[in-house]
Amino acid sequence: MNDQSAIAAANGPTTATVATVPGVRAGDVRPVEVAIVIPTFNEAANVQPLLRVIDEVLPGVAWELIFVDDNSPDGTADRVRELAHADGRVRVVHRWGRRGLSSACVEGILASAAPYAVVMDADFQHDEAILPRMLDALRAGDVDLVVGSRYVEGGGLGDWSRRRVAISRTATWMANRLTGTPISDPMSGFFAVRRDAFMRSLPQLSSIGFKILLDLAASAPAPLSVREVPYVFRTRQRGESKLDSLVLWEYLQLLIDKTFGRYIPTRFISFMLVGGLGVLVHFTILTTGFKGLGTPFAVAQGAATAVAISSNFFLNNLLTYSDRRLRGRRLFWGWVTFNLVCATGAAANIGVADWLFERPVNWIASALAGIMVSVVWNYAMSSIFTWRKR
Ligand code: GDD
Ligand code: MN
């Protein structure tokens, strides 16, 4: 006897099949046992076929299918709403003005009350045929997490290039150093988790980039108990992959955040790295102008500053704020506000350094203090005015 029929039997024949809440009439829909969370970006052609296969592989299971869509231009969210009108088990979390695979998965899981959650891609690369085994493993109650793995006996990569296999293996090795939880495929985007285990990791999650499973394992206060179920990664049939060259950078950000994030925000680390590159840019232009072309120092210094500010702006837009990247007109206004922020930052820098220099403070210490003030100022102000949360 499963939980629901147990409850129904205990309540007697007159009540519906769900547990009753005082003052609330029992509904006639079974409570959901497993939420299947599908992050989507431009997957309109995949949503209906996906509903069909889920329905086939999980007969008799009370599941719900939650698509978390970041306002895809191809109208994925609208397609999901159409499906939801025909099938009440389908839902959409439609996010606006944001991107990000990990955060989408987190919000999808949080949108459900089900005791178990599955995260799976929309593009059929993850083999839905192992869903019943994943669910059974959670139901048995002795594991927190079930991972669909390409690297255990019986799993595989489909036709991946040797380069991608090598990258994936290196990233896996780094991940295992980090989490201390032995998972053969910590990069997998296909897994099932108990809600209580997920909730324990939640306060520490970074939610950066693509690697939600790794994040989950690394954020758990105590090592998770894990089972792995093999599957063969398929090739994508419809739509396109969203993994680009920045995925590696996002992965590094996640590792940085899991290592130092508790002391300094990862964004700030990234902002300072970009600032360091800006100094290189500055000296390249200054040396070329002043030493190479004989440009007057003040002119060369001015040009170097202007170029360094712009290159910092574009690099921060690409790397530090990849999740809030400005485009089109917003890019232009972002550049304007960033210049203003940096100009006031420079004024604060000079003011503080000069004030200290007037006291009995060593000139190098004064200069460094001025630089620190302007870095923190630029970071804080640009996060408010240039890359504000929309
Ligand atoms: N909401 C949302 N927002 N969804 C996204 C975003 C985003 O910014 N980017 C990608 N997705 C969705 C895609 O629509 C797809 O359903 C899923 O996330 C995976 O994206 P793909 O572009 O197909 O990634 P992949 O196939 O290269 O890599 C996947 O499989 C690997 C192996 O399991 C990812 O899941 C990797 O994390 C994983 O390592
Ligand atoms: Mn894919």
Side-chain angles (χ1 to χ4, degrees):
M1 191 188 294
N2 65 27
D3 288 351
Q4 271 109 33
S5 47
I7 292 165
N11 286 343
T14 52
T15 52
T17 51
V18 287
T20 52
V21 179
V24 175
R25 233 167 5 121
D28 57 359
V29 178
R30 285 193 296 164
V32 176
E33 183 184 18
V34 53
I36 302 166
V37 174
I38 316 281
T40 56
F41 194 76
N42 286 344
E43 304 284 3
N46 280 320
V47 295
Q48 189 178 3
L50 197 67
L51 170 60
R52 204 175 319 126
V53 300
I54 299 288
D55 192 40
E56 272 165 25
V57 297
L58 292 175
V61 177
W63 49 263
E64 65 182 338
L65 189 55
I66 304 178
F67 291 89
V68 187
D69 185 66
D70 289 351
N71 199 36
S72 302
D74 77 348
T76 305
D78 291 333
R79 294 287 301 121
V80 176
R81 273 187 285 268
E82 279 166 36
L83 286 184
H85 289 151
D87 190 328
R89 299 170 298 181
V90 176
R91 295 167 50 199
V92 62
V93 174
H94 186 157
R95 305 201 301 172
W96 186 268
R98 272 187 303 152
R99 277 294 303 272
L101 178 50
S102 284
S103 61
C105 298
V106 170
E107 285 170 38
I109 297 174
L110 288 177
S112 166
Y116 309 130
V118 168
V119 170
M120 187 176 154
D121 291 349
D123 56 6
F124 290 89
Q125 295 197 269
H126 294 158
D127 188 353
E128 67 288 341
I130 68 168
L131 285 173
R133 283 183 62 197
M134 294 171 107
L135 183 59
D136 284 342
L138 287 184
R139 281 171 170 165
D142 51 354
V143 292
D144 299 314
L145 179 68
V146 185
V147 178
S149 173
R150 299 162 289 182
Y151 296 131
V152 289
E153 186 67 41
L157 287 173
D159 47 2
W160 265 23
S161 71
R162 282 174 64 186
R163 183 165 157 270
R164 201 172 161 182
V165 173
I167 293 176
S168 184
R169 290 217 180 256
T170 315
T172 302
W173 178 84
M174 281 160 77
N176 279 326
R177 296 274 87 61
L178 178 78
T179 60
T181 310
I183 299 177
S184 74
D185 193 357
M187 301 293 134
S188 176
F190 188 20
F191 61 90
V193 64
R194 295 177 60 90
R195 170 162 308 277
D196 47 8
F198 172 81
M199 289 308 197
R200 287 197 296 274
S201 287
L202 182 63
Q204 296 301 324
L205 286 178
S206 303
S207 301
I208 300 173
F210 260 57
K211 303 305 173 193
I212 173 65
L213 172 65
L214 172 59
D215 198 0
L216 203 64
S219 303
L224 299 174
S225 53
V226 183
R227 172 147 331 141
E228 300 196 76
V229 177
Y231 79 98
V232 177
F233 198 68
R234 300 193 195 119
T235 39
R236 193 185 250 275
Q237 304 296 331
R238 286 168 287 247
E240 285 165 13
S241 171
K242 282 89 209 173
L243 270 182
D244 55 22
S245 48
L246 284 181
V247 163
L248 229 84
W249 166 243
E250 290 184 332
Y251 180 58
L252 280 180
Q253 276 182 294
L254 176 62
L255 295 185
I256 293 173
D257 193 58
K258 289 268 83 91
T259 320
F260 306 107
R262 116 187 60 128
Y263 314 108
I264 329 184
T266 307
R267 255 196 233 283
F268 186 57
I269 296 178
S270 169
F271 194 82
M272 289 201 297
L273 287 176
V274 168
L277 281 177
V279 173
L280 287 182
V281 170
H282 186 109
F283 274 98
T284 311
I285 308 254
L286 180 62
T287 324
T288 324
F290 180 55
K291 290 279 174 199
L293 306 173
T295 320
F297 178 77
V299 176
Q301 170 76 354
T305 307
V307 174
I309 289 179
S310 285
S311 88
N312 282 3
F313 169 72
F314 289 111
L315 281 176
N316 277 316
N317 194 46
L318 193 69
L319 302 175
T320 311
Y321 288 98
S322 56
D323 58 333
R324 293 185 214 164
R325 199 170 296 155
L326 306 169
R327 293 187 168 85
R329 275 182 40 182
R330 286 215 173 85
L331 184 70
F332 172 72
W333 286 113
W335 177 80
V336 170
T337 57
F338 191 74
N339 272 280
L340 290 174
V341 164
C342 291
T344 43
N349 173 348
I350 296 167
V352 168
D354 194 47
W355 186 84
L356 287 173
F357 184 69
E358 298 292 319
R359 326 282 125 175
V361 177
N362 167 290
W363 65 276
I364 296 181
S366 303
L368 287 177
I371 291 173
M372 262 329 280
V373 167
S374 67
V375 167
V376 172
W377 168 275
N378 290 351
Y379 174 68
M381 291 300 130
S382 66
S383 80
I384 295 171
F385 293 109
T386 307
W387 290 281
R388 61 172 174 270
K389 269 196 170 142
R390 276 183 278 124

